[in-house]
Amino acid sequence: MSLREEVRVERRPMPVQDPRVRVGNFDEVALGYGEEDALLEASRCLLCRKPACIQGCPVEVEIPAFIGHILKREYRQAIAVIKKKNNLPAVCGRVCPQENQCEKYCVRGKKEEPVAIGRLERFVADWELQNGGGGVEKAAPTGRRVAVVGSGPAGLTVAADLARLGHEVTVFEALHTPGGVLVYGIPEFRLPKEVVRQEIDNIRKLGVAIKTNMVVGKTVTVDELLDGGYEAVFIGTGAGLPYFMNIPGENLNGVYSANEFLTRVNLMKAYRFPEFQTPVRVGKKVAVIGAGNVAVDCARTALRLGAEESWILYRRSEKEMPARREEIDRAREEGVRFSLLTAPVRILGDESGWVRAVKCRRFELGEPDESGRRSPVPVPGSDYDMEIDTVVVAIGQGPNPLVPQSTPGLEVNRKGNIVADEATGRTTRDGVFAGGDIVTGAATVIQAMGAGKKAARAIHEYLLSK
Ligand SMILES: Cc1cc2nc3c(=O)[nH]c(=O)nc-3n(C[C@H](O)[C@H](O)[C@H](O)COP(=O)(O)OP(=O)(O)OC[C@H]3O[C@@H](n4cnc5c(N)ncnc54)[C@H](O)[C@@H]3O)c2cc1C
């Protein structure tokens, strides 16, 4: 047994705002490790010679190397190690599902709790945001131009990696603010927009130009970009098209898609209305349909906007809920209520066309379906009405069709996702690459970034081969 294995420190808990206080504000819930916590947690790392944790990271951050620097209080070196692979560490340290990725493979985790790799990443990334980083290496200019469509984690990763390789990169973003779901979807209380802004500023410092209010497919097409001097185009337009349940009453007043609800609150700052001009109406009893991260974010947001009751309605059981465990627990602490094995079959309105109730049906779990999860089977005669005045539908999002429709020869699958090679992001059009949610369907930040890294390598090789 090595000296390190003898260290017996329990995983350091994340300091958080008191649930009774935080439910009344939009400030960040998780407060981040202080230096003492970070040093103690770092001391739990076995600094394995053959680290399994790296396999679990889609961008292959050299985890033991950066933790080793934390132990020596060499924070500038620690962030330099992370930044070799990850341009958005303060984002990833906050929202990555580490429990299914790096931490799942942590050797320490076989007998006790794994090292809190994500919390340590956040500690170092926040240290950089406060103290300034050491700058990253950049190759000499190549004079080659690349266009990136969409400024979510996939597009930002491609842009940063190609800029470091010396290429001239311009990002075209449809919205007025870059960041994709990081700014319009994930709420302020989980991911402060200032943190995203600072990490994007660091990417701009690499020489990346970001043009906002540019709807590719309308303002300019992919072919026009290729004809206008860009030698390659990367498409990272995400999955922003909300799915609906197609049940009666879904077009009543007071029914939102999760997308609209969260965009109004996050991007347009509806919680600061009338200071900001976009209102959002939330009633006393809110029902959110679905149980992924998006649904949990909506239910927690509704409480912060003043709802007296905020319910998650989900047709499977808690075990099958796709949201992160940590976020489900925090939602419950804040007072979000869960009606499991339940789904709406109709939304009922009042005489003025506003939601007044949801007709729900009870389910039980049957055999596993193609997703491997047990499928919900309706219980006959179990329908009942639940008094509700706001409904948020959070059952998933599909790909935005604008770019595929306006780009001849770009193949899509039956769901509308762009067909692209997994290892390179190459599409069916020469010089056009794609990655992130537009290819995989709604997934995670780090998966989108992993796809961006692979595509950046492939675009670099493509440019050199021309
Ligand atoms: C509410 C919510 C919570 C989430 N929580 C988590 C979490 O905790 N952890 C996690 O890992 N993942 C989470 N996810 C998923 C994660 O955010 C996405 O998987 C990730 O952002 C996908 O990155 P992307 O770059 O492919 O696309 P996006 O982030 O969607 O970015 C796409 C960008 O392209 C732009 N765009 C679209 N069409 C055009 C066009 N025609 N022209 C120009 N620009 C265009 C969009 O405006 C957007 O800015 C969450 C998602 C949501 C919605």
Side-chain angles (χ1 to χ4, degrees):
M1 185 184 276
S2 78
L3 261 182
R4 302 220 57 77
E5 281 171 293
E6 286 162 25
V7 173
R8 282 277 166 261
V9 176
E10 283 187 9
R11 182 172 156 116
R12 305 302 296 162
M14 172 60 93
V16 290
Q17 272 198 72
D18 183 318
R20 285 162 304 182
V21 176
R22 71 188 191 224
V23 74
N25 67 52
F26 275 82
D27 298 341
E28 194 169 11
V29 168
L31 301 172
Y33 277 168
E35 190 175 31
E36 192 186 339
D37 277 332
L39 289 169
L40 280 170
E41 188 59 34
S43 75
R44 298 183 65 239
C45 179
L46 302 174
L47 303 176
C48 304
R49 282 229 190 90
K50 287 190 185 160
C53 51
I54 299 181
Q55 291 165 34
C57 173
V59 299
E60 296 170 358
V61 168
E62 292 160 25
I63 295 162
F66 94 75
I67 294 182
H69 283 301
I70 295 181
L71 278 170
K72 293 188 233 159
R73 293 188 165 88
E74 296 169 351
Y75 305 128
R76 202 173 296 281
Q77 287 91 325
I79 191 66
V81 169
I82 297 176
K83 283 249 167 130
K84 278 203 279 176
K85 300 288 175 70
N86 184 340
N87 290 297
L88 299 168
V91 169
C92 291
R94 286 171 165 82
V95 302
C96 265
Q98 291 99 7
E99 62 280 10
N100 298 323
Q101 295 174 340
C102 50
E103 294 180 13
K104 187 173 163 189
Y105 294 88
C106 171
V107 172
R108 187 137 215 159
K110 285 187 182 157
K111 289 195 184 153
E112 50 186 301
E113 287 207 88
V115 176
I117 299 167
R119 294 173 188 174
L120 291 174
E121 180 183 35
R122 170 179 167 172
F123 169 77
V124 177
D126 286 357
W127 182 93
E128 187 201 19
L129 296 183
Q130 279 152 24
N131 299 282
V136 283
E137 284 174 27
K138 213 184 141 190
T142 61
R144 320 298 289 266
R145 294 172 71 208
V146 180
V148 169
V149 186
S151 65
L156 290 172
T157 301
V158 172
D161 281 12
L162 288 175
R164 280 169 153 200
L165 290 164
H167 305 303
E168 196 184 313
V169 187
T170 308
V171 178
F172 295 86
E173 167 55 49
L175 297 175
H176 63 274
T177 308
V181 169
L182 308 179
V183 291
Y184 80 73
I186 304 180
E188 180 76 18
F189 56 83
R190 278 212 297 132
L191 180 61
K193 303 310 148 222
E194 181 55 20
V195 168
V196 183
R197 190 192 63 72
Q198 288 191 53
E199 294 218 304
I200 293 177
D201 274 358
N202 285 340
I203 292 174
R204 285 188 212 259
K205 284 183 197 150
L206 293 168
V208 171
I210 303 181
K211 292 191 178 180
T212 52
N213 299 312
M214 295 290 289
V215 184
V216 174
K218 286 233 184 289
T219 326
V220 63
T221 64
V222 168
D223 281 303
E224 284 166 349
L225 292 172
L226 288 168
D227 292 342
Y230 292 99
E231 294 179 61
V233 175
F234 174 82
I235 303 169
T237 45
L241 196 67
Y243 290 143
F244 284 95
M245 297 174 290
N246 296 320
I247 59 172
E250 224 171 352
N251 53 3
L252 286 165
N253 294 322
V255 181
Y256 294 93
S257 69
N259 212 308
E260 181 190 348
F261 184 69
L262 291 173
T263 302
R264 277 176 179 266
V265 180
N266 293 317
L267 192 65
M268 311 309 288
K269 304 233 174 317
Y271 60 93
R272 283 165 64 182
F273 181 82
E275 183 194 343
F276 286 80
Q277 286 300 303
T278 304
V280 68
R281 178 193 175 276
V282 169
K284 289 186 175 153
K285 291 188 176 183
V286 178
V288 179
I289 320 302
N293 284 318
V294 182
V296 175
D297 281 345
C298 292
R300 296 173 74 190
T301 298
L303 283 181
R304 283 163 173 77
L305 290 169
E308 286 169 12
E309 287 179 26
S310 179
W311 287 87
I312 293 240
L313 307 190
Y314 182 47
R315 61 199 183 128
R316 290 185 163 100
S317 73
E318 181 150 353
K319 195 165 149 249
E320 289 81 25
M321 286 176 71
R324 290 187 72 187
R325 181 78 256 163
E326 187 173 75
E327 301 303 338
I328 295 170
D329 292 344
R330 286 182 182 155
R332 191 167 267 131
E333 284 166 12
E334 288 166 10
V336 170
R337 294 159 76 175
F338 295 81
S339 183
L340 302 170
L341 296 165
T342 305
V345 287
R346 172 183 282 271
I347 304 172
L348 308 167
D350 62 18
E351 346 36 273
S352 9
W354 285 89
V355 174
R356 68 171 175 82
V358 172
K359 185 169 284 301
C360 296
R361 184 165 296 164
R362 292 269 181 222
F363 286 76
E364 54 194 20
L365 292 180
E367 294 302 311
D369 60 18
E370 65 279 12
S371 74
R373 294 176 301 174
R374 292 179 65 193
S375 52
V377 180
V379 176
S382 64
D383 290 7
Y384 67 100
D385 289 353
M386 188 176 182
E387 215 180 285
I388 286 293
D389 48 22
T390 305
V391 175
V392 183
V393 183
I395 57 165
Q397 304 95 241
N400 191 327
L402 192 54
V403 173
Q405 277 170 6
S406 60
T407 313
L410 195 64
E411 192 183 327
V412 293
N413 66 16
R414 73 187 162 79
K415 288 186 175 166
N417 296 107
I418 295 176
V419 174
D421 179 63
E422 210 187 316
T424 61
R426 274 177 189 270
T427 68
T428 47
R429 278 286 305 269
D430 184 45
V432 180
F433 298 75
D437 283 5
I438 185 68
V439 170
T440 56
T444 64
V445 170
I446 197 75
Q447 282 170 300
M449 291 176 67
K453 285 206 102 58
K454 288 179 190 165
R457 273 197 293 269
I459 293 171
H460 180 59
E461 280 163 21
Y462 173 80
L463 294 175
L464 296 186
S465 70
K466 275 183 79 179

